[in-house]
Amino acid sequence: VQVRFSQARHHFLVMPRESIANLKALDSRHLDLLRHMQSRGEELAAKTSKTLQFRLGYHAIPSMR
């Protein structure tokens, strides 16, 4: 998993190294990967602030390929 930081003060992207074409391509084989990505996001949020609340989610944009 690669961790990338945007220009925003607290905006993190946790991206898989595995190429996944789109959300419809996800299946049960990807559960461990998704859990790992969620865990890494939570770790980054906890390291960043003890008082701020972060929202974690997934999004897919075709240009991110």
Side-chain angles (χ1 to χ4, degrees):
V1 172
Q2 294 177 346
V3 179
R4 296 184 183 190
F5 302 90
S6 74
Q7 297 299 320
R9 184 171 178 199
H10 299 297
H11 182 164
F12 308 103
L13 295 178
V14 179
M15 300 174 64
R17 292 177 195 234
E18 177 182 346
S19 179
I20 301 171
N22 56 50
L23 292 177
K24 289 181 180 181
L26 292 172
D27 60 32
S28 60
R29 295 173 297 154
H30 296 101
L31 285 175
D32 287 340
L33 172 63
L34 295 173
R35 287 182 184 119
H36 180 69
M37 291 172 66
Q38 179 75 21
S39 175
R40 288 292 291 138
E42 291 169 354
E43 289 172 15
L44 286 166
K47 287 180 184 178
T48 301
S49 174
K50 302 294 183 210
T51 58
L52 294 176
Q53 287 189 335
F54 286 83
R55 290 184 292 170
L56 303 174
Y58 298 91
H59 68 107
I61 301 172
S63 64
M64 291 178 70
R65 286 183 176 200

